Amino acid sequence: MAKEKDEIRVVALILGGGKGTRLYPLTKERAKPAVSFGGKYRLVDIPISNCINSGFKKIYLLTQFNSTSLHLHITNSYNFDRFSKGFVEILAAEQTLEHDGWYEGTADSVRKSFQHFNAQNPTHYIILSGDQLYRMDLRAFLEAHIKNKADVSIAANAVNREQASQLGIMNIDSKGFIKSFLEKPAKDLNIDDYKIPESQRKELPEGKEYLASMGIYIFNAEALEAMLDNNYKDFGKEVIPETIKKEKIYAYIFDGYWEDIGTVKSFYEANIQLTKISPQFNFYEEDEPIYTHMRNLPPSKINCATMNAVLTSEGCVITDCTITNSIIGLRSIIENGSNLDGVVMMGADFYENQEARLKNTEAGRPQLGIGKNCRIYKTIIDKNARIGNNVRINVDGRTYENGDHGNFYVAEGIIVIRKGAVIPDGTVI
């Protein structure tokens, strides 16, 4: 048995991000990691599941904005047995005698939380984002980090020139170590020097000639503490570029599917992609499950509906309607005659009893879910929305400026029905 000093002790840090303005209005009442995804999951379930499947079960989640629903989800979902010594613990920004402000960036959030990590006596930290979609064997990542005797390792994904302008690009040598870093290079800038060396290309796809940082890092514990002994606030913009100048940083090339769920458009497209016959991200992996809250919900009831390329979650009641290329979330109620195409419906947090439904009817208020004879196209419907009968959304060629329009919001051409919105009978959007 290895001596304790030779043991590898890993602490995983999942960064909850800031206000999530690019995902607004989905982040109006919840933190980015708490946004629903794939019908029954939350975005945060992805990095947590990657950690668990890799055997890393000491996990801290750092957040500060709209964290109530995130707290509830974590508490209800992740309870390890006492023998594993595993945990998922939320660290919200707090005032102490040393500091009394908010987290001011990704690096600042880690610096201000060291007092909590030290109790685990870690040898390595794995730092992950709370809003990315991917599957990665983090143990293989760690093994590569140790084998290459790196102080820091950065997971990198191959991208084309157009994508490179939106990401941090790395220039690596023939052994995979990073020589320089370029943040979001302009489209007309010549960055041929940053192309991946042939010795490192392996089986990477044609046309993807540059390496982009995925915002996923492994640090030796002592190295991380030394790198944060300053006032740098952000890993991607400050810590990593400065560290490259003086430390040994290795680029771990990840050749699988990876999507940064940073905008409403990327969120929508990643959801709809799940409905494909062979999706790029597959929830149906026996050996690498994606974990989430285990709910005691009944099976979904489908009454004479036509459905094609649809993910349907538990507890739904769908009656005599047509649904195509859509995600149907928990407890969704869809009445007869309705037609949905390209819809991400997040469902509801509760069922209404008969008394509540009767009061809604008497008040002329729609029931939870989607009423009769509705037509809805390319729309995100947030939780607990009430859409009345004969409603038409995004089917009549109308265009709206990006921004707030009352009960709905428009982002990059995608209509978002707000959480808890009430859309009366006959409304046309």
Side-chain angles (χ1 to χ4, degrees):
M1 181 179 293
K3 297 180 181 179
E4 183 176 352
K5 68 177 182 180
D6 297 323
E7 290 179 355
I8 303 299
R9 296 178 298 279
V10 177
V11 166
L13 310 179
I14 298 175
L15 306 180
K19 295 180 179 179
T21 53
R22 293 188 301 158
L23 264 179
Y24 187 90
L26 303 179
T27 51
K28 183 177 185 295
E29 299 179 30
R30 56 171 81 89
K32 273 199 297 185
V35 173
S36 297
F37 183 79
K40 61 177 289 183
Y41 303 94
R42 307 277 186 128
L43 288 176
V44 74
D45 293 327
I46 306 300
I48 291 177
S49 297
N50 276 310
C51 289
I52 294 172
N53 292 331
S54 301
F56 303 140
K57 298 182 179 179
K58 295 182 178 181
I59 305 166
Y60 290 98
L61 177 58
L62 280 58
T63 187
Q64 65 183 353
F65 290 101
N66 286 334
S67 57
T68 300
S69 64
L70 185 59
H71 275 270
L72 289 172
H73 177 70
I74 296 300
T75 300
N76 290 330
S77 304
Y78 298 100
N79 298 298
F80 296 91
D81 66 78
R82 66 183 66 183
F83 302 106
S84 73
K85 298 182 180 179
F87 58 82
V88 180
E89 183 174 332
I90 290 181
L91 294 180
E94 61 182 353
Q95 290 187 340
T96 69
L97 294 177
E98 287 75 30
H99 53 80
D100 59 2
W102 291 99
Y103 295 151
E104 297 180 55
T106 53
D108 188 59
S109 67
V110 174
R111 180 189 300 110
K112 289 177 177 176
S113 302
F114 270 130
Q115 59 179 325
H116 302 291
F117 312 146
N118 289 340
Q120 306 303 324
N121 191 25
T123 58
H124 297 82
Y125 289 98
I126 290 183
I127 298 181
L128 310 169
S129 172
D131 57 359
Q132 296 178 346
L133 184 61
Y134 64 99
R135 285 183 187 275
M136 182 186 291
D137 182 353
L138 297 175
R139 187 172 293 278
F141 183 16
L142 178 64
E143 289 171 356
H145 171 83
I146 294 172
K147 178 182 177 181
N148 287 280
K149 299 179 180 179
D151 299 304
V152 185
S153 291
I154 303 176
N157 195 245
V159 298
N160 59 35
R161 181 61 186 88
E162 182 179 355
Q163 294 169 318
S165 294
Q166 305 300 317
L167 300 163
I169 305 302
M170 298 177 290
N171 183 8
I172 65 172
D173 63 22
S174 60
K175 295 183 179 180
F177 288 93
I178 302 172
K179 297 189 293 182
S180 57
F181 182 88
L182 190 60
E183 180 72 12
K184 296 182 179 180
K187 292 183 179 181
D188 58 353
L189 181 67
N190 187 335
I191 58 171
D192 288 348
D193 290 345
Y194 280 74
K195 287 184 177 180
I196 305 170
E198 285 300 321
S199 61
Q200 294 293 317
R201 285 201 60 82
K202 301 178 183 177
E203 298 179 1
L204 296 176
E206 291 294 326
K208 295 190 174 183
E209 300 180 306
Y210 305 92
L211 280 184
S213 170
M214 297 167 62
I216 298 174
Y217 314 107
I218 293 180
F219 289 85
N220 294 342
E222 291 182 359
L224 180 61
E225 292 189 26
M227 292 173 196
L228 294 184
D229 187 17
N230 47 52
N231 294 319
Y232 294 147
K233 297 177 182 178
D234 190 83
F235 281 110
K237 295 178 181 177
E238 298 170 296
V239 175
I240 297 303
E242 288 300 315
T243 302
I244 287 172
K245 299 175 183 177
K246 46 194 173 185
E247 302 291 348
K248 198 174 180 182
I249 302 186
Y250 178 72
Y252 177 77
I253 300 178
F254 174 70
D255 58 2
Y257 171 73
W258 170 73
E259 181 66 43
D260 184 8
I261 312 285
T263 66
V264 170
K265 183 177 181 180
S266 63
F267 171 82
Y268 174 82
E269 291 177 346
N271 270 280
I272 296 300
Q273 220 286 322
L274 298 173
T275 69
K276 306 301 180 184
I277 292 176
S278 299
Q280 291 176 292
F281 185 89
N282 185 13
F283 279 109
Y284 303 90
E285 295 284 353
E286 178 70 23
D287 297 327
E288 296 180 334
I290 302 300
Y291 300 96
T292 192
H293 181 198
M294 299 294 289
R295 302 169 177 86
N296 294 317
L297 287 174
S300 287
K301 182 185 293 187
I302 314 296
N303 301 312
C304 191
T306 300
M307 304 173 72
N308 180 38
V310 178
L311 266 63
T312 306
S313 307
E314 303 101 312
C316 300
V317 180
I318 300 172
T319 303
D320 192 19
C321 56
T322 300
I323 307 176
T324 307
N325 299 323
S326 297
I327 303 287
I328 307 301
L330 297 158
R331 304 182 187 88
S332 291
I333 309 296
I334 306 174
E335 299 291 356
N336 58 286
S338 288
N339 188 318
L340 280 62
D341 186 358
V343 173
V344 178
M345 183 177 183
M346 294 186 182
D349 291 318
F350 54 89
Y351 291 118
E352 290 185 317
N353 58 29
Q354 188 60 36
E355 181 181 358
R357 291 175 64 84
L358 182 60
K359 287 183 179 179
N360 289 331
T361 301
E362 292 174 347
R365 175 184 171 90
Q367 309 294 344
L368 272 176
I370 297 174
K372 300 177 181 179
N373 303 315
C374 294
R375 291 186 62 197
I376 305 175
Y377 172 70
K378 198 176 181 180
T379 298
I380 297 172
I381 303 173
D382 207 339
K383 283 192 171 183
N384 306 330
R386 301 170 183 272
I387 297 177
N389 301 324
N390 304 303
V391 171
R392 300 165 69 88
I393 302 176
N394 211 18
V395 295
D396 294 331
R398 299 188 179 196
T399 58
Y400 297 91
E401 292 184 359
N402 289 338
D404 193 354
H405 297 270
N407 274 338
F408 69 97
Y409 190 93
V410 178
E412 300 175 276
I414 298 165
I415 290 178
V416 182
I417 303 299
R418 292 178 175 278
K419 183 178 181 180
V422 177
I423 310 298
D425 293 355
T427 298
V428 177
I429 295 175

